[in-house]
Amino acid sequence: MDINYSVLKEDEKAIFEMRNLYQKYGYTQYKMSKFEEYDLYVRNKDFLVSDNIITFTDTNGKLMALKPDVTLSIIKNSKDLADSVQKVYYNENVYRVSKGTHSFKEIMQVGLECIGLIDDYCIYEVLMLAAKSLEGISRDYILDISHMGIVSSVIDSLNLSDESREEILKCIGEKNINAISSICKKEEVNGEKLLKLISNYGSIDKMKPILSEVKNDVNEKDVNELIKIAEMLDCCGLGDRVRIDFSVINDMNYYNGFVFKGFIKGIASGVLSGGQYDKLMKKMGKKSKAIGFAVYLDMLERLNETEKPYDVDAVILYDEKSDIKALDNAVRLLAGNGKSVMVQRNIPEKIKYKQLLRLREKGVEIVENNA
């Protein structure tokens, strides 16, 4: 079936693009119910994008929730795979407070999860598909990549108090360099390496000298893993759209290893978020490792928000004496040439059109031309 992409909204286009992309790489669709037991979400509230959850009591007395997230349900229903990988994608409605409207909305969320024996190729593939997902929305995108192991090790080397550590993590996410400096000064530690790591970002080649400066404070395996994956992304032509940014962090109670965020020009907030969440898997009683991401399609409402100059290309007026067959021929001719056509007895209020046409005995006559 041929699809006219020009009539689709940005989120609808994105769904088609991403579903086709994920299926090409062997990901199968995951389907779930609209709701889960509330207990699943309340035990992992910090993992959720928003802790506002719509709840109701089921007929059996259980407290249920309209799902605000898909990942938790996938983990709950996944099998522990010691020697293989379960690859799933989803496009599901979730119910939470939208960043755009700050009110509860039914939001279509698209994403994928890779669960099981996660190795370097799995990590590369997920990051590559994250970049390709952004590319399917807009050519003008950036995928920011960080590594929680590296950031955590540099912070650990400072021997901060638990309170200051939490403050530092918060400031890193906010890119608040001044606050980080103040905390380090208060704790009487040298935060120069951390500040340099956080305040710089760019290609892996640009970041290698900075990584070299912190090599004594971090696990060499983490650094080599980051360099290897980043160079693989570069080799497949994504290097100019991928940058290393250690200010990208997620909750360390749930995430480890790679974390990443995707941005589209014209939208201030990130539209894609993901990472490795082995710690969440362990918390939910799973031995497998996992990595995945989600694309927040409600954010795409802000893309191309410019008002369209016209609602329709042509409005054709007719009356009770008009030849309906001739009217149908005129509509099909215009529609066949790629025009949008509205047939009306009278000019509708508040409709913007390029051309106003009227059906006459001799054919269609142009009454008004705004093109």
Side-chain angles (χ1 to χ4, degrees):
M1 179 179 66
D2 292 331
I3 298 173
N4 183 3
Y5 277 80
S6 65
V7 303
L8 298 179
K9 296 178 181 178
E10 295 298 333
D11 58 345
E12 293 171 330
K13 292 177 186 176
I15 291 169
F16 277 108
E17 293 280 351
M18 286 184 267
R19 285 182 62 169
N20 289 335
L21 174 65
Y22 305 152
Q23 287 173 359
K24 285 179 182 177
Y25 282 84
Y27 286 74
T28 57
Q29 187 169 10
Y30 178 86
K31 298 292 290 181
M32 63 177 290
S33 170
K34 289 184 182 295
F35 38 83
E36 285 270 13
E37 290 186 29
Y38 176 66
D39 186 56
L40 172 65
Y41 302 118
V42 77
R43 284 186 280 109
N44 299 285
K45 268 194 172 184
D46 293 340
F47 179 77
L48 303 175
V49 174
S50 169
D51 59 3
N52 293 297
I53 302 172
I54 301 173
T55 60
F56 65 95
T57 303
D58 204 353
T59 54
N60 59 8
K62 284 186 178 180
L63 187 60
M64 306 295 288
L66 286 175
K67 65 177 187 286
D69 175 82
V70 180
T71 301
L72 292 172
S73 293
I74 292 177
I75 295 172
K76 176 187 171 184
N77 295 297
S78 68
K79 296 178 180 178
D80 265 332
L81 304 174
D83 56 358
S84 61
V85 178
Q86 179 184 4
K87 297 183 177 184
V88 298
Y89 79 90
Y90 59 86
N91 58 277
E92 292 277 346
N93 286 321
V94 294
Y95 305 85
R96 62 166 176 259
V97 175
S98 169
K99 290 182 180 179
T101 63
H102 304 290
S103 59
F104 276 109
K105 284 190 68 176
E106 182 181 42
I107 300 166
M108 177 59 75
Q109 181 175 302
V110 178
L112 59 80
E113 310 294 345
C114 204
I115 297 173
L117 183 63
I118 303 300
D119 57 18
D120 286 347
Y121 177 78
C122 293
I123 295 169
Y124 157 73
E125 182 179 83
V126 169
L127 287 168
M128 178 270 293
L129 290 173
K132 291 289 187 182
S133 298
L134 294 168
E135 189 179 79
I137 299 169
S138 169
R139 297 285 180 179
D140 205 344
Y141 73 91
I142 289 292
L143 181 66
D144 286 346
I145 296 175
S146 180
H147 197 292
M148 297 288 280
I150 295 173
V151 176
S152 180
S153 294
V154 174
I155 295 174
D156 288 343
S157 70
L158 299 177
N159 294 314
L160 299 168
S161 65
D162 291 342
E163 182 182 351
S164 291
R165 180 184 171 85
E166 289 301 315
E167 288 179 20
I168 285 276
L169 287 170
K170 182 181 178 182
C171 292
I172 290 173
E174 297 170 350
K175 296 189 177 183
N176 192 337
I177 303 300
N178 291 332
I180 295 173
S181 297
S182 297
I183 294 168
C184 290
K185 186 176 181 180
K186 183 183 72 174
E187 290 275 341
E188 298 181 347
V189 296
N190 185 353
E192 184 178 343
K193 290 181 181 179
L194 176 62
L195 289 168
K196 199 165 187 179
L197 190 73
I198 301 305
S199 58
N200 285 277
Y201 62 89
S203 68
I204 190 61
D205 287 338
K206 177 183 175 181
M207 296 300 291
K208 278 179 181 178
I210 296 169
L211 288 169
S212 180
E213 290 184 30
V214 300
K215 65 181 180 181
N216 294 329
D217 301 313
V218 302
N219 188 325
E220 185 179 359
K221 178 180 176 294
D222 291 340
V223 174
N224 291 340
E225 184 180 51
L226 175 64
I227 293 173
K228 181 179 182 179
I229 300 299
E231 288 180 343
M232 287 178 68
L233 291 167
D234 190 31
C235 286
C236 75
L238 297 171
D240 61 337
R241 290 294 170 186
V242 174
R243 66 184 182 187
I244 312 303
D245 184 350
F246 289 107
S247 70
V248 175
I249 59 172
N250 284 333
D251 193 319
M252 288 189 177
N253 292 317
Y254 299 98
Y255 288 92
N256 61 288
F258 282 89
V259 289
F260 47 96
K261 287 186 179 180
F263 299 86
I264 297 292
K265 185 177 180 180
I267 302 177
S269 301
V271 301
L272 180 149
S273 180
Q276 292 177 255
Y277 49 90
D278 300 351
K279 290 182 178 180
L280 175 62
M281 295 288 290
K282 187 176 181 180
K283 186 177 180 182
M284 294 183 66
K286 306 287 184 176
K287 297 178 182 178
S288 302
K289 296 183 177 182
I291 181 171
F293 64 82
V295 183
Y296 306 116
L297 296 182
D298 60 314
M299 303 301 294
L300 302 190
E301 294 174 1
R302 306 181 192 184
L303 193 62
N304 299 329
E305 282 186 333
T306 53
E307 189 177 358
K308 292 182 180 180
Y310 303 105
D311 299 309
V312 66
D313 290 317
V315 173
I316 303 180
L317 300 178
Y318 72 106
D319 56 33
E320 66 278 0
K321 297 180 181 179
S322 297
D323 184 337
I324 301 302
K325 193 173 182 179
L327 178 62
D328 179 55
N329 288 336
V331 171
R332 287 198 287 159
L333 178 64
L334 288 167
N337 288 324
K339 306 291 185 183
S340 55
V341 190
M342 177 184 288
V343 176
Q344 291 281 1
R345 295 285 290 266
N346 299 290
I347 302 175
E349 292 183 9
K350 298 180 180 180
I351 288 291
K352 293 175 288 185
Y353 48 81
K354 287 185 181 180
Q355 286 186 322
L356 179 64
L357 310 174
R358 184 176 292 278
L359 187 66
R360 304 290 190 187
E361 289 184 11
K362 297 181 179 180
V364 175
E365 171 186 280
I366 298 176
V367 178
E368 187 180 339
N369 194 341
N370 297 318

